[in-house]
Amino acid sequence: MNAKRPVVIYGASGSTGRLVAEYLREYSIPFVAAGRNKDRVQEVMSKVPGIETADYEIAEVDGSVESLTRLFEGRRVVCNVVGPFLRYAPAVVEAALRAGCHYLDTAGEQSHMLSLLDEWGPKFAEAGLVASTAVSIQYALHDIAARICLETPGVDTLELGSYANAIPTVGSTQSIFDVIRAQAHYLEDGRLRKYDGVVVQDLVVPGSGYVVTGTNWGGTAMPVFFRDDRRVRNCRMFVAMHNQDIWRRVVDLERLFKVSLQWLPEETLYPVLDRMAAGMTADSPPRENRQIQRSVDWCTARGNTATARVVIHSSTGYQMTGLMQAYTAMRLLGSTHNGTGFRSPAELVGHRELMGALESYGFARITEESAA
């Protein structure tokens, strides 16, 4: 019975889970929509466009390793969209491995990614399975841009940036707050090195006259993705939001955490952070508008004499996330992916192929410049 619906969306009652379901339907992939509250999941699924033509079922789980393992048994792919991932992902990852499922998530927390790379990646590889993180607007687009730059012989340094007009979900905002507590890293001379807290950086947005302020955003996924890639010696990334109040709030939160909150036990700290996150964004933001929610993401690469630059213009990042999750699940189901163990999104399915999936829906356009 389980093989008839081989994909599980864990966190289907959230905004991102709804979009994953929408694009699994587009690819005609049967799925299970799972969450802690069956009625809430059913309510959200009923609003997915065209859901009456989808092959799916609803499942309720309590989030424990045992209940998740029972749900995942006999399935093939788990799409985990429940954040903050530093808190909730370990049980899902363990259950996926126990049940023999490939694991995908939409995480943005660097500490979680390092755990997947070092702790879980070898275990998934031994089982012939894949564990891939950040299969989402952050940081799959940047993964694509970086790997296209690396097609230019001689480059070894990646400098990446992002400028987005986005409305973060509560889960995304909670994740932003959670990374304040974790150590962030960049890649320098082939080694991960620690940032001294939140670093603020002015960014020039390609193709515009904008100079905006961004932050190191918890370190981002990119130094993790390329830590063990011997082509890359140095890698940093900074993120700026159209709503420039966000970086100020992140800096203020870091100060507040260091002065007042770091002493709190987690059971007391989490409710405080969650209340702050809820005050920054709506419980369920409205569906994105392509005319408004636009992004520019870029990678500049250089070596001693070689240079390359890739810029990606895109819109509706959460919808792109839903598409990328569904496309990657499709590739895993068809066994047309690359390798096992820890894999970045573009490494797993191919950077040109993943970009092609986005282009086919009119979500993104790429501009390349290179000189040897």
Side-chain angles (χ1 to χ4, degrees):
M1 179 65 182
N2 288 355
K4 294 181 180 179
R5 297 189 177 98
V7 176
V8 178
I9 309 169
Y10 180 55
S13 62
S15 299
T16 305
R18 177 177 60 200
L19 292 165
V20 176
E22 182 175 332
Y23 288 99
L24 286 172
R25 171 196 168 273
E26 291 268 346
Y27 284 114
S28 300
I29 298 174
F31 63 91
V32 180
R36 292 174 179 268
N37 185 313
K38 188 173 184 177
D39 292 338
R40 174 61 177 159
V41 174
Q42 183 62 71
E43 177 188 358
V44 169
M45 286 297 106
S46 68
K47 298 176 181 177
V48 173
I51 193 63
E52 66 276 2
T53 65
D55 181 358
Y56 76 103
E57 63 181 278
I58 304 293
E60 183 175 279
V61 286
D62 62 16
S64 68
V65 173
E66 291 72 24
S67 67
L68 289 168
T69 301
R70 287 193 295 271
L71 172 64
F72 298 162
E73 284 175 348
R75 317 289 181 182
R76 298 277 305 282
V77 181
V78 175
C79 298
N80 180 20
V81 295
V82 177
F85 292 86
L86 283 173
R87 302 187 213 175
Y88 301 127
V92 190
V93 177
E94 182 175 347
L97 180 61
R98 286 188 184 184
C101 291
H102 299 300
Y103 173 86
L104 307 175
D105 69 32
T106 56
E109 299 100 315
Q110 192 184 74
S111 293
H112 163 69
M113 297 168 188
L114 284 168
S115 175
L116 271 186
L117 173 61
D118 291 327
E119 179 182 354
W120 293 103
K123 297 176 183 178
F124 273 78
E126 185 177 358
L129 299 169
V130 167
S132 187
T133 186
V135 185
S136 61
I137 178 62
Q138 287 187 329
Y139 295 92
L141 283 184
H142 316 96
D143 192 20
I144 292 169
R147 292 180 190 279
I148 291 176
C149 282
L150 287 170
E151 293 175 358
T152 299
V155 301
D156 64 7
T157 296
L158 306 175
E159 295 285 348
L160 299 107
S162 180
Y163 177 61
N165 185 0
I167 305 173
T169 63
V170 169
S172 294
T173 307
Q174 288 173 330
S175 296
I176 294 170
F177 283 8
D178 259 16
V179 297
I180 296 296
R181 306 182 301 115
Q183 185 65 60
H185 302 82
Y186 59 96
L187 188 67
E188 183 178 80
D189 201 20
R191 296 179 57 190
L192 288 181
R193 302 185 186 276
K194 296 179 180 179
Y195 282 108
D196 184 17
V198 174
V199 176
V200 175
Q201 174 73 44
D202 285 339
L203 306 175
V204 179
V205 181
S208 78
Y210 297 153
V211 177
V212 295
T213 302
T215 74
N216 57 339
W217 212 252
T220 81
M222 305 313 293
V224 179
F225 288 169
F226 292 102
R227 186 195 68 180
D228 300 326
D229 189 325
R230 301 317 300 168
R231 297 173 297 174
V232 181
R233 292 182 57 240
N234 310 293
C235 181
R236 295 180 189 241
M237 179 173 172
F238 290 88
V239 176
M241 302 296 288
H242 178 76
N243 180 356
Q244 288 279 278
D245 283 340
I246 291 179
W247 74 263
R248 296 185 183 93
R249 292 191 184 192
V250 170
V251 171
D252 289 344
L253 177 65
E254 182 196 34
R255 186 180 303 113
L256 176 63
F257 179 77
K258 288 181 176 179
V259 172
S260 302
L261 300 181
Q262 65 174 315
W263 321 111
L264 297 177
E266 288 189 346
E267 61 269 19
T268 304
L269 175 63
Y270 285 152
V272 173
L273 294 177
D274 291 349
R275 284 195 298 271
M276 295 173 69
M280 282 184 63
T281 188
D283 180 52
S284 182
R287 186 177 178 86
E288 295 161 303
N289 186 326
R290 290 196 185 197
Q291 315 304 320
I292 299 173
Q293 272 75 54
R294 294 171 173 171
S295 302
V296 183
D297 302 286
W298 63 94
C299 178
T300 302
R302 69 153 297 166
N304 289 337
T305 58
T307 62
R309 193 183 207 195
V310 169
V311 179
I312 300 176
H313 289 85
S314 62
S315 64
T316 59
Y318 283 104
Q319 291 182 51
M320 280 193 285
T321 295
L323 173 60
M324 286 189 281
Q325 284 276 319
Y327 175 79
T328 305
M330 178 193 69
R331 294 285 302 275
L332 289 168
L333 292 175
S335 298
T336 57
H337 57 283
N338 303 314
T340 59
F342 182 90
R343 288 290 184 271
S344 77
E347 183 183 25
L348 177 60
V349 297
H351 52 281
R352 294 287 183 179
E353 292 92 334
L354 187 56
M355 189 66 203
L358 297 171
E359 289 174 332
S360 71
Y361 275 80
F363 281 137
R365 179 179 60 82
I366 194 166
T367 302
E368 301 178 44
E369 303 171 8
S370 65

